[in-house]
Amino acid sequence: MRLNDFNFTQGSFFIDTWLYANCNKPNALSFQSIYFPSAKNYKITYTSTAQVGEETYVIGNLQGNFEQSWDLRNYPFDRHELQLFFEPSENLDVNTLIYKSDMKSSKIHPDINLEDGWKITNFNVTSESSHYISNFGDPRIKANEFYFPKLMVSFDIERVSYMSFIKLTVGVYIAFAICLLCIFFDISQSDLFAASLSILVGCLFAIFVNLQVAESILGEVEGVSLVDEIHIATMLFILFVASLQTFFHRLYKGEKNKKLIRIERLGLGLILLTYIGMNIIFISYAFLAG
């Protein structure tokens, strides 16, 4: 019914769903006897139990926040698998209780309240088992290991909106555009050279602050993300431009030199092409890897 509140910094998502089960034995099922290992908090309400001949039918509404390891290295082209799974809270092994999925009647509500900017690409319910290397000290269990039945509900989701990515990176590319203006400064003049360095340092600081904002929104990402790559590449571009201009300013010694000007423009042009090429490679890889 609901799948939203994707929290990247806290590593969680919210789900609102109905769970049901049929059992071939009477009085054998209860929502008080199941355990959600990945739950941060949850509640089961509107429960109902019915005896149908020698069988038991139960249904209840589950609402809660569940842990999710968000991999945002390829943001905003990221794809994820959200998992909701449960086990019996009693010592019932796979020889006593078996979960079997019912995909025929398991559906996603057509008007599901889904997080904005996402779509569900696949949905599945599978029965598995959890292996524990302990019998939990239960004298009734003679083996030293235990297999709990487990039911796994999984959703494959894909981001379809890139507006948040544009908001996070537009400042970086504006700073990059301002740096391009510095390329045309006559750095043989000390005052223009000083002005160019001041602008480059200001842009560098702005990009660093923007990177901190991105981390506060997306959370800590293991490894280097696409957003990190764009910020780092832009900061390196500014550093290279500043270094190159400082080098040529010392060569000019206050006087223009047409030959040095051409070499300077060529060097800055190569840096610019390298920066653009790196961005194309970064974004293309993230798009393909997802």
Side-chain angles (χ1 to χ4, degrees), residues 21-40:
N22 289 288
C23 185
N24 58 0
K25 293 184 179 180
N27 303 315
L29 293 177
S30 170
F31 283 113
Q32 283 69 45
S33 63
I34 59 175
Y35 164 60
F36 296 87
S38 64
K40 289 194 169 185

Side-chain angles (χ1 to χ4, degrees), residues 30-73:
S30 170
F31 283 113
Q32 283 69 45
S33 63
I34 59 175
Y35 164 60
F36 296 87
S38 64
K40 289 194 169 185
N41 55 75
Y42 74 93
K43 61 180 180 179
I44 298 179
T45 57
Y46 309 112
T47 59
S48 175
T49 303
Q51 300 301 318
V52 183
E54 294 297 318
E55 299 182 352
T56 305
Y57 171 76
V58 296
I59 189 171
N61 177 255
L62 167 70
Q63 298 181 15
N65 292 284
F66 293 83
E67 294 179 347
Q68 172 66 25
S69 178
W70 299 100
D71 185 355
L72 299 175
R73 287 175 296 177

Side-chain angles (χ1 to χ4, degrees), residues 96-126:
T96 307
L97 175 67
I98 297 176
Y99 289 143
K100 296 182 67 176
S101 62
D102 180 16
M103 279 302 298
K104 180 180 179 181
S105 300
S106 300
K107 307 292 182 182
I108 297 175
H109 195 284
D111 296 323
I112 183 174
N113 184 349
L114 183 63
E115 184 86 353
D116 290 340
W118 294 84
K119 70 175 181 180
I120 298 175
T121 58
N122 191 37
F123 164 66
N124 200 16
V125 183
T126 56

Side-chain angles (χ1 to χ4, degrees), residues 162-174:
Y162 306 139
M163 183 55 64
S164 60
F165 174 74
I166 295 174
K167 291 179 180 178
L168 285 178
T169 57
V170 64
V172 179
Y173 290 121
I174 289 177

Side-chain angles (χ1 to χ4, degrees), residues 61 71 154 189 234:
N61 177 255
D71 185 355
S154 60
Q189 305 299 316
T234 307

